[in-house]
Amino acid sequence: MRQSSLVVVANRLPIDDSVAPDGACEWRRSPGGLVSALHTLLRHTPATWVGWAGGTGTAPALPDVDGVRMHTVPLSAEDLRDHYEGFANATLWPLYHDSVEQPEYHRRWWEAYQRVNQRFAEATADVAEEGAVVWVQDYHLQLVPGLLRALRPDLRIGFFLHVPFPPPELFMQLPRRAELLRGMLGADLVGFQRAQAAHNFAQLVAKVLGVPATDRRIAVDDRVVRIGAFPVSIDTVEMGALATRPDVVDRASRLRRDLGSPDHVVLSVDRMDYTKGIEQRLKAYSELLADGHVKVRDSVLVQVAVPSRERVGQYQILRDRVEREVGRINGEFGRVGEPAIHYLTQPFDRAELAALYRVADVMAVTPLRDGMNLVAKEYVAARVDDSGALLLSEFAGAAAELSEAYLVNPHDLEGLKQGLLAALRASPDDTRTRMRAMRAHLHEHDIRAWARSYLSALDDSGSLLTRLGATG
Ligand code: ADP
Ligand code: G6P
């Protein structure tokens, strides 16, 4: 077994087996912010990524991806149902996102969660060199730090949660809350997107486990666990370079023409998820059309919503509702050759996304709750001429950093409509001032700055940072 001195452990590998139109297996980059962030960061680093390849049954042997070794962990059909679709995505995901959908609690799901976490811990123990740094990611694997420490006390273990960590009132609902907290405390460093999340965690550790905790450190057994906020980011320079590539510039001009050269293009790009506020946004847009504040011949909304977790009931219901609403709005307000909304569910490559960002005069990112939201950051990075308006939910982690965006509360329909109108009608001077400030922030706080701050807190020797090329 080949071993590495840096091991990243995440439920998702950066590639995913999707079935090609001819029925063959086709490997594609997996969707989602976690993969976007870590894939960019690890490229050409001698690291191993331990994760699931998207199917069931025996784990396929995968080639290296951009120099990073792929180590697959298999999931059975039962694990997929009870661990991934069940405990991870129908218990923890809704609970951690303000319970915007009702979390479900089933003992069978918890058993699967423990079993799969144990399997990930064992796979990681096999591929980690003596004294290696292991970086465990996200809510699917909260027990791995504790399980791995029991197997391999020599490792330096970090844990990072990409999604929000809820306030005690919500977390306390979890039947197995103590075990989950103890699992996370197996790490040397527990990182969150926002300081509020670290605070929630410290409060819960004190309340549930009776262990004294501050927002920065917790003493457990004979160790100190550090905690803190490390807002994840993007490769700002790379997105800017992509957005200025001649083929992307051409593609953007063609897209605008194909959209009927409207005065305003409004864009949204989401995974099809009930946390993203897609229905609220469609309702706001539809009311603006009905009020006559927005006219189909002047404005067009492009909604990209790539399907996600398609076998989970709440996701199926959402997709049906969104598609019905898009159909209704187009039927009611569209004209021949001029739909009010262009609705796309396909995965796009990075260049096509960059072209879409270039075309968007207003980018509407209005989740009900989101750990960070990298789409908002990608849009800002792509606006190399400082134009464009970002409409951003207060409930996205990104709002703490991009405070110059047009901030809205997506639960407040009137506020959402007013915010969208303000972004559509803003003067070029106003949007430029805001965009410049946000771009400056992202140039300083990019994905490498994130890795630098997290990994230097985890590994004080600094050797990891040098290997990642993240020192400068
Ligand atoms: P989440 O992690 O909840 O999906 P983020 O906004 O943080 O939300 O990250 C989404 C990531 O997935 C971004 O990097 C975005 O570019 C990418 N993405 C979203 N939609 C698509 C799509 N249709 N095709 C390809 N990539 C997409
Ligand atoms: C969010 C989560 C990630 C997850 C991604 C895509 O970004 O934080 O852990 O990988 O969504 O979801 P999926 O269920 O397809 O992995």
Side-chain angles (χ1 to χ4, degrees), residues 280-301:
Q280 288 76 0
R281 195 186 304 142
L282 290 176
K283 187 157 175 53
Y285 198 72
S286 151
E287 287 197 9
L288 288 173
L289 287 166
D291 298 345
H293 291 307
V294 168
K295 296 199 168 46
V296 166
R297 86 184 71 86
D298 304 331
S299 302
V300 59
L301 170 63

Side-chain angles (χ1 to χ4, degrees), residues 43-285:
R43 259 177 313 192
H44 315 301
T45 304
T48 296
W49 187 319
V50 176
W52 168 59
T56 54
T58 49
L62 297 185
D64 294 0
V65 175
D66 292 332
V68 180
R69 289 179 196 160
M70 298 291 117
H71 186 81
T72 47
V73 176
L75 291 193
S76 67
E78 207 183 351
D79 298 332
L80 177 77
R81 187 191 64 204
D82 295 345
H83 163 76
Y84 172 73
E85 295 169 345
F87 198 80
N89 285 313
T91 302
L92 294 179
W93 179 270
L95 183 72
Y96 285 12
H97 289 85
D98 288 355
S99 280
V100 293
E101 287 287 346
Q102 183 63 37
E104 285 181 51
Y105 304 107
H106 299 293
R107 282 166 290 186
R108 202 183 59 233
W109 290 1
W110 168 250
E111 282 158 24
Y113 188 77
Q114 287 176 292
R115 176 171 77 233
V116 171
N117 272 251
Q118 181 68 37
R119 194 174 310 142
F120 268 84
E122 284 166 11
T124 307
D126 285 346
V127 298
E129 257 174 41
E130 175 73 24
V133 170
V134 175
W135 197 1
V136 183
Q137 313 286 323
D138 232 356
Y139 60 99
H140 317 81
L141 302 176
Q142 279 170 238
L143 302 178
V144 168
L147 295 168
L148 186 58
R149 182 168 296 281
L151 291 169
R152 290 284 305 271
D154 59 297
L155 301 175
R156 192 97 188 129
I157 303 172
F159 178 79
F160 184 77
L161 189 71
H162 290 254
V163 300
F165 192 74
E169 307 85 82
L170 282 177
F171 191 85
M172 290 303 281
Q173 286 183 15
L174 268 174
R176 308 310 287 263
R177 56 203 184 194
E179 282 95 325
L180 279 171
L181 294 172
R182 256 188 241 112
M184 291 163 83
L185 287 175
D188 296 294
L189 174 65
V190 181
F192 299 94
Q193 301 277 23
R194 302 191 61 170
Q196 180 63 47
H199 178 68
N200 293 344
F201 181 69
Q203 278 192 306
L204 277 160
V205 166
K207 188 177 166 88
V208 176
L209 303 180
V211 173
T214 72
D215 292 6
R216 302 177 70 90
R217 38 200 302 132
I218 301 171
V220 249
D221 307 327
D222 50 353
R223 301 180 298 120
V224 170
V225 179
R226 299 181 54 191
I227 60 179
F230 304 88
V232 73
S233 197
I234 58 163
D235 191 331
T236 312
V237 169
E238 185 189 63
M239 180 48 86
L242 187 58
T244 39
R245 234 170 55 184
D247 58 318
V248 172
V249 176
D250 283 355
R251 176 72 188 133
S253 315
R254 259 184 298 130
L255 275 170
R256 192 160 202 110
R257 265 201 315 277
D258 292 347
L259 290 169
S261 304
D263 294 340
H264 302 288
V265 175
V266 182
L267 173 69
S268 288
V269 175
D270 308 282
R271 270 184 314 99
M272 177 73 82
D273 196 297
Y274 50 79
T275 59
K276 302 290 182 184
I278 302 173
E279 288 185 275
Q280 288 76 0
R281 195 186 304 142
L282 290 176
K283 187 157 175 53
Y285 198 72

